[in-house]
């Protein structure tokens, strides 16, 4: 494996957009090297051309990152990410999967960010966003890379670290970072982990839900337990059962924070997964984990919120 990835080559980017907006988004995709990572002799990290990862990244752009495409120019690099199996092994040893992302994946992402800021950004404000492994990496970058580059950090509209834990300990250790307190504050971290009621009732094991984690409600943008009914949902991504094609629909995706667990609880209709995938998902995210749907349930609300934060930033 090459020591570094050359991000001047277009094939190492999932998306390099035409510049049509005043603000960018730099998006880091979630773990897409999933089932292949459990195969006999599979490497801990995906190669940059791993087919499962490349296909997953495209789907993630469609179902997650494109929420930022109306308000911003979305950049999305490929990187040699940790496989789900290896992330799980690291979690078992240490109580968090962070160390699985801090070596090669982080080195690739720093190289991608260096290239982006030097050759692509042009001094524009930006959102940095991710999901799951991608969000874990954003949180690491906020306390290292952006601390070392205050000139970049000063232009950050917001950081969406959805699908990973932003703990009170993390915020205490990084006093230069602030968690969002509403729907239009800027320079802040926006995060939540979505679960169904059964996960909360059984206090289920979920690798992305760490002790003292925080969530903001993606429908009413509050930090307390105020219930947000599905009528506040502007539209969820729904996949056609036969073709897998997405459309915007209503699946009853309400939202209420459970402060004790630090998650967003929903009664949204849950799509059945293939049996093997369902087993893996339950082992990592609990019997009623909704990790895969953190963006999809609240897609149009995320889209509207990104636009609102961009407008607020540009107004200042």
């Amino acid at each position: 494996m090459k020591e570094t990835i050359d991000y001047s080559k277009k094939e190492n980017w999932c998306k390099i957009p035409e510049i049509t907006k005043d603000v960018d988004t730099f998006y880091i995709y979630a773990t897409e090297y999933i089932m292949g990572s459990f195969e006999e002799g599979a490497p801990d990290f995906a190669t940059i051309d791993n087919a499962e990862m490349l296909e997953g990244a495209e789907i993630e752009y469609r179902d997650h990152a494109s929420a930022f495409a109306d308000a911003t120019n979305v950049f999305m690099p490929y990187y040699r990410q940790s496989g789900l199996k290896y992330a799980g092994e690291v979690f078992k040893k240490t109580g968090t999967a962070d160390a699985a992302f801090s070596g090669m994946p982080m080195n690739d992402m720093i190289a991608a960010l260096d290239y982006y800021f030097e050759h692509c950004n042009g001094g524009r404000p930006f959102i940095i966003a991710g999901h799951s492994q991608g969000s874990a990496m954003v949180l690491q970058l906020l306390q290292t890379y952006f601390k070392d580059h205050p000139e970049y950090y000063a232009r950050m509209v917001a950081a969406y670290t959805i699908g990973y834990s932003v703990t009170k300990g993390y915020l205490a250790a990084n006093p230069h970072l602030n968690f969002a307190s509403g729907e239009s504050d800027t320079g802040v971290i926006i995060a939540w982990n979505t679960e169904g009621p059964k996960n909360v009732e059984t206090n289920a094991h979920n690798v992305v839900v760490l002790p003292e984690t925080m969530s903001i409600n993606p429908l009413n943008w509050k930090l307390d337990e105020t219930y947000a009914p599905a009528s506040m949902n502007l539209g969820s991504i729904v996949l056609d059962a036969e073709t897998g094609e997405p459309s915007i629909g209503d699946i009853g995706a309400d939202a209420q924070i459970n402060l004790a667990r630090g998650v967003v609880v929903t009664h949204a209709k849950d799509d059945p997964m293939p049996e093997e995938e369902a087993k893996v998902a339950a082992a990592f995210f609990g019997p009623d984990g909704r990790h895969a749907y953190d963006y999809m349930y609240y897609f149009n609300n995320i889209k509207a919120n990104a636009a609102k934060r961009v407008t607020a930033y540009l107004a200042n």
Side-chain angles (χ1 to χ4, degrees):
M1 244 183 239
K2 290 188 296 183
E3 281 307 302
T4 55
I5 298 298
D6 183 356
Y7 285 100
S8 68
K9 294 184 174 175
K10 278 192 175 170
E11 67 260 30
N12 292 327
W13 291 82
C14 182
K15 301 293 170 191
I16 297 183
E18 276 186 54
I19 305 304
T20 58
K21 315 285 194 321
D22 296 329
V23 176
D24 294 345
T25 292
F26 188 97
Y27 185 91
I28 309 176
Y29 54 84
T31 309
E32 297 297 350
Y33 174 39
I34 301 172
M35 301 310 290
S37 73
F38 290 93
E39 290 172 7
E40 184 93 19
D44 291 339
F45 297 94
T47 55
I48 198 74
D49 58 353
N50 176 278
E52 182 185 19
M53 181 184 76
L54 299 187
E55 182 183 359
E58 281 291 347
I59 293 168
E60 186 164 344
Y61 177 82
R62 182 193 74 186
D63 295 344
H64 294 187
S66 66
F68 302 102
D70 275 8
T72 69
N73 316 296
V74 181
F75 291 81
M76 187 166 143
Y78 292 123
Y79 68 103
R80 293 170 296 182
Q81 65 174 193
S82 168
L84 187 63
K85 182 186 176 196
Y86 180 59
E89 288 167 356
V90 170
F91 181 93
K92 276 181 189 162
K93 284 181 194 164
T94 66
T96 165
D98 284 347
F101 316 139
S102 61
M104 186 153 56
M106 187 57 62
N107 291 339
D108 284 355
M109 204 48 60
I110 287 168
L113 277 168
D114 281 345
Y115 183 83
Y116 161 74
F117 280 116
E118 287 165 26
H119 301 282
C120 307
N121 173 255
R124 288 181 298 280
F126 65 94
I127 287 169
I128 188 163
H131 184 242
S132 197
Q133 177 169 175
S135 290
M137 292 174 70
V138 173
L139 290 168
Q140 289 187 32
L141 290 161
L142 287 173
Q143 63 183 341
T144 55
Y145 185 86
F146 287 104
K147 201 172 179 184
D148 295 339
H149 291 282
E151 73 282 16
Y152 300 156
Y153 181 63
R155 301 202 305 271
M156 188 186 85
V157 174
Y160 287 80
T161 62
I162 298 165
Y164 206 72
S165 280
V166 180
T167 65
K168 290 171 185 171
Y170 171 87
L171 292 168
N174 295 283
H176 66 294
L177 302 176
N178 294 299
F179 200 76
S181 60
E183 65 178 350
S184 58
D185 45 346
T186 60
V188 295
I189 300 171
I190 298 111
W192 62 83
N193 284 294
T194 318
E195 295 191 313
K198 196 190 293 181
N199 260 28
V200 177
E201 289 157 14
T202 60
N203 195 27
H205 165 73
N206 185 337
V207 294
V208 293
V209 177
L210 301 178
E212 291 207 305
T213 190
M214 298 172 68
S215 287
I216 193 166
N217 188 311
L219 297 185
N220 61 24
W221 304 102
K222 293 184 177 180
L223 299 173
D224 61 20
E225 293 188 339
T226 304
Y227 176 68
S231 58
M232 294 180 75
N233 193 312
L234 303 175
S236 305
I237 285 196
V238 184
L239 302 180
D240 185 278
E242 288 178 17
T243 66
E245 285 303 302
S247 61
I248 295 295
D250 177 4
I251 49 170
D254 56 355
Q256 183 173 25
I257 292 174
N258 177 285
L259 286 173
R261 195 164 162 87
V263 298
V264 166
V265 182
T266 188
H267 301 86
K269 182 181 160 203
D270 195 13
D271 285 334
M273 287 182 178
E275 190 180 351
E276 278 307 304
E277 287 179 30
K279 270 190 205 167
V280 170
F284 278 81
F285 307 114
D288 204 3
R290 307 296 181 92
H291 182 65
Y293 305 105
D294 285 323
Y295 271 85
M296 294 167 73
Y297 283 164
Y298 307 111
F299 186 84
N300 274 1
N301 293 76
I302 296 168
K303 185 189 282 195
N305 186 250
K308 196 163 276 190
R309 291 187 201 273
V310 163
T311 299
Y313 182 94
L314 295 177
N316 290 332

